[in-house]
Amino acid sequence: MGIFTNSVRSILGNGNGRYGRIDRLCAEIGWSIDERDANKLTLNFRDPLVITRPVHIASGDDAIVFFGACSLTLVHVSQVPAEVFVYLLMRNNELPIGKWQLDFDDERNTYFSVVYSALGEGLTPAALKLICEGLVREASEFDVKMHRAGLLRL
C-alpha cells in the first residue's frame, strides 16, 4: 500500500470503514453505537429530563470529527427571550468542551445545539468519553433551564 492509502486508513481507523476509529474507541469504552447511516453515528445517553439524549458524530474531511448534542427546545425565534441568547453567548466563553449554536427552520423555529470538533488522530477513549459526556451534560442543563422557564414542553 502507498503512503496515501496508509494515511487515509490511519485517519479512518485501521480500514474499518468511515467510522472505524469511533467504532474502536467506543468498543474500548464499552459503548455501543445506537444508530448509523452514511452521514453520522449516534450514541444515545441516559438523560434524567428527556430519557435519551443522542450525540451525533460525523466525519467531515475524515481528519476532523464533529460532535453534536441537541437541545429539545424548539421555539419560534420571536418567542425566545433575549436573555437566552445572552446566556448562550456567555456560556460559550465558559465551556471547556463545545460551543452553542443555533439554527432556524423554514418557519423560523429556533434549534439549539452544543457542538465540538476534534482531530480524529488525536481522539482517545478518554477524550471521546469526555467530549460526549460533556456535550450531553451541557444540553441537559440547558433544557432544564428552558423547561423551568416554560420554553421546553415535555
Side-chain angles (χ1 to χ4, degrees):
M1 278 188 228
I3 294 171
F4 177 77
T5 305
N6 288 338
S7 295
V8 170
R9 284 188 165 208
S10 172
I11 290 168
L12 294 177
N14 302 322
N16 294 330
R18 185 170 187 187
Y19 293 101
R21 178 181 308 281
I22 302 300
D23 285 326
R24 181 180 50 77
L25 294 172
C26 284
E28 288 182 38
I29 297 169
W31 291 351
S32 61
I33 295 171
D34 296 294
E35 298 173 40
R36 74 174 64 233
D37 63 36
N39 299 315
K40 70 182 179 316
L41 302 176
T42 302
L43 306 177
N44 290 325
F45 293 84
R46 284 185 287 174
D47 185 289
L49 184 66
V50 297
I51 312 301
T52 301
R53 174 90 51 188
V55 172
H56 303 290
I57 303 171
S59 181
D61 62 3
D62 297 324
I64 305 293
V65 180
F66 300 97
F67 298 84
C70 297
S71 163
L72 296 183
T73 302
L74 176 65
V75 181
H76 191 274
V77 68
S78 66
Q79 297 174 335
V80 179
E83 294 83 11
V84 172
F85 297 116
V86 171
Y87 169 81
L88 293 176
L89 286 172
M90 298 297 289
R91 190 71 183 129
N92 278 347
N93 288 327
E94 301 166 353
L95 287 176
I97 298 285
K99 296 294 180 204
W100 280 100
Q101 68 178 25
L102 42 115
D103 199 2
F104 306 96
D105 65 13
D106 292 338
E107 288 83 40
R108 303 296 292 162
N109 291 310
T110 307
Y111 293 90
F112 302 92
S113 55
V114 60
V115 299
Y116 185 75
S117 57
L119 292 173
E121 285 192 44
L123 283 175
T124 63
L128 179 69
K129 190 173 189 329
L130 178 75
I131 293 165
C132 291
E133 290 177 350
L135 296 179
V136 166
R137 185 173 39 259
E138 181 66 21
S140 182
E141 289 172 4
F142 178 74
D143 278 351
V144 167
K145 290 178 186 335
M146 296 299 275
H147 182 60
R148 287 182 185 148
L151 296 169
L152 172 64
R153 311 235 183 341
L154 299 173

